Amino acid sequence: MRIRFHGAAGTVTGSMMEIVDERLGVHALVDCGMTQGEDAAGSAAWTGRFPFDPTTLQAVFLTHAHLDHCGRLLELVDSGFKEKIWCTPETRALTMLQLNDGIIQVHPSARPAARAALKALQRDDRWNTEVSPIDKANSLFMRRGALGKVFVRALRSSHLLGAVGWQFMWKSADGTRHALVCYGDSGPTSLDHDAGLLLGDNHQAATPVLSCDHLSMVVESTYGQDPERTPVGRAERLTALARALREVANGATLVVPAFSFGRTQDVLFDIACLRRDDPKLRDVRVLTPQDRTLGDSGSAVYAEHLLQVRRPAAKPHHKVEVRTVWPNRAIWSSLGLDLKDHKQRAVAQVWLQDALGLDAAEPPATASERAQLPGLPRAERITNTAPGAMLTPGTVVVAGSGMGDHGVMHGLLRRALRTEHALIGLVGFGSPGSAVAALRALHKSRTELSAGDLEAIGNQPLDGELGKNQPNGDRAVCYGDVRARVVELPGYGGHATLNQLRRLVAPEPVVGYEKYRIRHPDRLFVVHGAPYAQGKVAESMRELLGEAADVITPKARDARWYSVEAGTDAVDDEHPSA
């Protein structure tokens, strides 16, 4: 079996991994993502061209629903792909929202084809989403778990609701047992700190690799540019957020551009918890704009799926514990709720909808349970998304925005930057060229440069789209125009730190899995990061794994095939690049 990387290799976005084995009759993709930010410079949003024949693909395996992992699915379908997309139910729901929203980025001439492809993907027979937890660590198992002679398993991730890594297992002609694990983005883990985000951590779930003689693995390197980065616990995260909210209570406006899926829900939930516990913050108004399809539709998917229970994979007559898969139970315990109790889980469901600003039809059976505990203050969904209506003192605006470049936030940030009483809170990752990256550069310049140096660059535009004039008449924002303050709200990163990646690649034995020999990868591919970050992670992994392992840093522009089987050269020269 061999693998080729068509994106997110030497770059951050555009994840697309092609796996092929003629003997086993396998041709599939892991992810089909769109390039974004600087990665997308010079590329069209819809080309209809792929470096392989989409009609020969047997499956696409989605790791999660962010645009840089699923954004070219419509193009793939329009190019002739007719087989199933494998993912979790949560990823399917979020992906359909993402693809519908992404049509606006397609050239007008291609939009009819994009809409036709979206309609085709609305059919259930285009998806394989049957997954069940198989162990107490809540890893996931695909019931229809075979692709020809290759056994397939999904490994739960905490990067995003529904996110998984994909594990493929097969035997070579001589009987050697092989495994390939492809992670999209690896979420943070709370093994060494109290992460306290809505999703529970996953790294223990990913540890056991079913018996194999040779293991290849694909891991991300997004945070490799900051190898000393350490996780931020819940207490530190809430302290920073509370500090910003107290300024709002005193007349400021806080604007938070956040990823529509994941970061938006985490921030809204934390704000609700702080408002619940601090009387001084209860009068703070929290707005979540209805931003095309993503603003509250993403929150609706979170509210529907986060607390759902699943029956573990077992024979029907076996008595097993039906449990939740995704939530961080410690968060709900801190609020006095036990998710194992179905009545308290129903209360938690209503509280989650309140925190996200969603209307909840409260089951009568939960009313008495809910009355015993103070609930969470509601966020407000608003339809008037004019910047002047949102930038009022005493208001928080949390809007899903990609990386600050799309939807309501695209125009709101320009107005907020010129507003004296505004705070702009940065959460999560911003790829080079994005608005969030430009705001981080602004924050760094204002903390490191002298007043004279800042005055000297007053007429210099900000990086990215914020520093460009817009077709609607919005002027470019220059450094001298900025009146708002930019603040970091730490702890909302959706990616693993370098130390967490090391633990993922070379884990310690896990309680309950002592009978399994923990297998370290013989071949490791480091992707999904800028060249410097990719290099730093690879350097660390070579030190960790030693000379016995191949640590490879692919570059998408090379379009090179790599073998993932033992006893072969890493570079597959028998199958030259396209």
Side-chain angles (χ1 to χ4, degrees):
M1 187 174 290
R2 62 189 186 275
I3 189 169
R4 183 164 60 160
F5 301 88
H6 299 297
T11 59
V12 177
T13 63
S15 178
M16 189 185 300
M17 296 169 264
E18 182 185 5
I19 56 176
V20 172
D21 190 314
E22 288 86 358
R23 182 183 68 85
L24 298 173
V26 170
H27 185 203
L29 285 187
V30 178
D31 286 339
C32 189
M34 180 185 292
T35 55
Q36 297 172 284
E38 285 185 354
D39 298 347
S43 65
W46 184 290
T47 65
R49 297 189 298 273
F50 291 89
F52 48 82
D53 182 358
T55 65
T56 65
L57 290 173
Q58 297 164 296
V60 173
F61 297 87
L62 283 189
T63 60
H64 63 281
H66 282 146
L67 203 61
D68 61 325
H69 291 259
C70 70
R72 293 191 71 189
L73 275 178
L74 297 182
E75 200 173 346
L76 191 74
V77 170
D78 182 61
S79 299
F81 172 67
K82 297 184 182 303
E83 302 302 324
K84 289 185 182 292
I85 299 166
W86 297 46
C87 64
T88 62
E90 295 81 7
T91 292
R92 177 186 175 180
L94 292 173
T95 295
M96 292 303 290
L97 293 177
Q98 190 76 271
L99 295 176
N100 186 41
D101 182 76
I103 287 177
I104 198 170
Q105 299 182 44
V106 175
H107 190 276
S109 64
R111 286 177 191 168
R115 293 190 182 97
L118 185 69
K119 185 176 180 180
L121 289 184
Q122 291 171 350
R123 295 183 358 228
D124 290 341
D125 62 358
R126 297 304 303 269
W127 302 82
N128 181 0
T129 60
E130 294 188 23
V131 294
S132 297
I134 58 172
D135 52 43
K136 291 184 178 179
N138 278 340
S139 60
L140 298 176
F141 174 79
M142 184 66 66
R143 285 181 182 169
R144 299 176 185 172
L147 181 66
K149 295 181 180 179
V150 177
F151 179 77
V152 182
R153 183 187 183 201
L155 300 173
R156 181 190 177 288
S157 169
S158 59
H159 175 68
L160 177 68
L161 181 67
V164 295
W166 288 102
Q167 180 176 316
F168 305 92
M169 289 162 282
W170 70 97
K171 286 185 179 180
S172 57
D174 63 2
T176 303
R177 296 168 300 178
H178 299 273
L180 169 66
V181 178
C182 295
Y183 287 103
D185 290 323
S186 302
T189 173
S190 59
L191 289 178
D192 58 353
H193 74 293
D194 176 18
L197 295 168
L198 279 172
L199 295 183
D201 70 76
N202 67 296
H203 284 205
Q204 287 196 0
T207 294
V209 175
L210 299 182
S211 297
C212 66
D213 302 308
H214 175 74
L215 171 63
S216 294
M217 186 179 289
V218 181
V219 297
E220 67 157 319
S221 56
T222 307
Y223 284 167
Q225 83 280 0
D226 186 7
E228 303 303 318
R229 186 187 185 105
T230 56
V232 174
R234 185 170 188 244
E236 183 180 348
R237 187 178 78 246
L238 291 182
T239 297
L241 182 58
R243 189 182 304 119
L245 291 179
R246 281 193 288 272
E247 292 198 46
V248 175
N250 290 326
T253 299
L254 175 62
V255 177
V256 183
F259 266 113
S260 300
F261 304 152
R263 305 295 80 78
T264 293
Q265 291 75 34
D266 285 325
V267 172
L268 286 171
F269 188 81
D270 279 353
I271 290 173
C273 290
L274 289 169
R275 292 173 68 206
R276 171 190 189 244
D277 297 333
D278 188 341
K280 296 179 180 179
L281 301 180
R282 287 178 190 162
D283 291 335
V284 168
R285 191 181 180 206
V286 181
L287 307 180
T288 173
Q290 295 189 44
D291 182 4
R292 294 203 308 271
T293 63
L294 295 186
D296 43 20
S297 295
S299 288
V301 173
Y302 258 71
E304 179 183 354
H305 289 276
L306 181 68
L307 300 176
Q308 276 189 350
V309 295
R310 294 265 176 81
R311 187 183 191 278
K315 293 182 179 179
H317 62 277
H318 285 186
K319 184 177 181 180
V320 294
E321 177 191 358
V322 178
R323 58 179 179 267
T324 55
V325 172
W326 301 104
N328 184 338
R329 296 181 186 88
I331 282 286
W332 297 99
S333 295
S334 71
L335 297 174
L337 296 176
D338 180 1
L339 295 184
K340 292 182 179 180
D341 183 288
H342 74 278
K343 289 185 179 180
Q344 294 191 39
R345 191 166 59 246
V347 174
Q349 180 71 36
V350 176
W351 287 9
L352 177 62
Q353 290 170 313
D354 284 345
L356 301 181
L358 300 173
D359 295 327
E362 184 174 349
T366 68
S368 60
E369 292 281 339
R370 189 184 188 199
Q372 297 174 18
L373 296 164
L376 295 180
R378 286 183 60 82
E380 299 178 41
R381 297 163 63 198
I382 59 168
T383 55
N384 181 4
T385 56
M390 292 186 283
L391 292 175
T392 55
T395 300
V396 179
V397 184
V398 182
S401 65
M403 298 179 189
D405 300 308
H406 305 299
V408 168
M409 197 55 69
H410 182 64
L412 181 62
L413 283 175
R414 294 168 177 272
R415 180 75 170 267
L417 283 166
R418 295 182 170 99
T419 301
E420 192 79 39
H421 64 266
L423 289 175
I424 299 175
L426 301 183
V427 298
F429 180 73
S431 64
S434 68
V436 169
L439 291 169
R440 282 212 166 90
L442 169 66
H443 179 54
K444 183 177 181 180
S445 68
R446 297 181 81 179
T447 54
E448 295 182 358
L449 297 182
S450 66
D453 290 337
L454 285 173
E455 185 176 353
I457 63 172
N459 292 326
Q460 179 179 321
L462 301 186
D463 297 337
E465 288 297 313
L466 289 174
K468 298 178 182 178
N469 293 323
Q470 297 300 300
N472 64 0
D474 284 350
R475 293 185 298 106
V477 181
C478 297
Y479 279 86
D481 297 331
V482 176
R483 298 291 179 267
R485 283 194 300 119
V486 178
V487 296
E488 285 281 357
L489 299 177
Y492 292 100
H495 300 271
T497 64
L498 179 55
N499 283 335
Q500 291 168 347
L501 285 173
R502 286 170 63 97
R503 227 179 2 243
L504 178 67
V505 169
E508 297 294 329
V510 177
V511 175
Y513 292 97
E514 291 84 356
K515 67 179 181 179
Y516 292 101
R517 180 170 66 89
I518 301 301
R519 180 91 199 180
H520 294 177
D522 308 283
R523 193 159 288 165
L524 181 70
F525 300 93
V526 179
V527 298
H528 211 299
Y532 176 80
Q534 188 183 27
K536 294 300 290 186
V537 171
E539 178 185 329
S540 178
M541 295 303 173
R542 291 188 183 102
E543 178 272 327
L544 174 68
L545 297 173
E547 296 181 358
D550 294 321
V551 179
I552 301 167
T553 55
K555 299 293 186 288
R557 63 178 178 271
D558 296 337
R560 179 175 291 167
W561 285 106
Y562 297 92
S563 173
V564 292
E565 295 197 358
T568 60
D569 293 334
V571 178
D572 187 347
D573 292 324
E574 293 184 11
H575 300 88
S577 303

